[in-house]
Amino acid sequence: MSAQPQSTIEEKLFTVKYKPGPSSHLIPDQNDCQRCPTKACNFFCPANVYEWDARQQKTLVAYENCFECGACRLGCTYQSIEWFYPDDGHGVTFKLG
Ligand code: SF4
Ligand code: SF4
């Protein structure tokens, strides 16, 4: 039996529907981000929401792609990401499962 090919993160994200709110529901403390030795959020988020921008010295947040899994509340090295559910009617809808 041949192994099934692995889906890329982009293919998996295509199975999820989003209605982004007008502003981010994820707010990292940028002072903590600047001193953060791990930039852990760049690695544990399943939706690749966080990206450290060395030129701007800030964490960029693609909140529109958030799965609302809550992992970043625990996984942030300083536990300093402010996290809210998006306002009613906004956020993620899982189309499969
Ligand atoms: S893990 Fe937390 S403090 Fe570190 S870069 Fe990410 S959001 Fe900022
Ligand atoms: S809640 Fe989950 S999907 Fe959303 S930004 Fe945090 S880790 Fe990523």
Side-chain angles (χ1 to χ4, degrees):
M1 185 179 359
S2 62
Q4 293 289 319
Q6 296 272 320
S7 299
T8 64
I9 185 72
E10 288 76 16
E11 288 167 339
K12 288 178 178 169
L13 289 172
F14 191 67
T15 67
V16 177
K17 185 175 148 198
Y18 304 92
K19 184 177 177 190
S23 59
S24 180
H25 62 287
L26 309 162
I27 306 168
D29 182 321
Q30 297 291 350
N31 291 324
D32 284 346
C33 292
Q34 287 176 7
R35 69 190 175 105
C36 178
T38 67
K39 310 294 189 266
C41 57
N42 290 223
F43 305 103
F44 65 66
C45 172
N48 290 345
V49 165
Y50 299 102
E51 181 184 358
W52 172 249
D53 184 318
R55 189 179 59 80
Q56 296 185 66
Q57 288 289 293
K58 67 184 288 191
T59 295
L60 307 179
V61 183
Y63 71 92
E64 304 88 342
N65 295 339
C66 174
F67 290 157
E68 300 167 29
C69 73
C72 52
R73 284 192 291 191
L74 299 172
C76 170
T77 299
Y78 296 102
Q79 297 195 350
S80 61
I81 297 175
E82 270 192 77
W83 195 103
F84 309 93
Y85 280 111
D87 291 339
D88 279 355
H90 296 98
V92 69
T93 303
F94 294 96
K95 292 192 281 189
L96 300 177

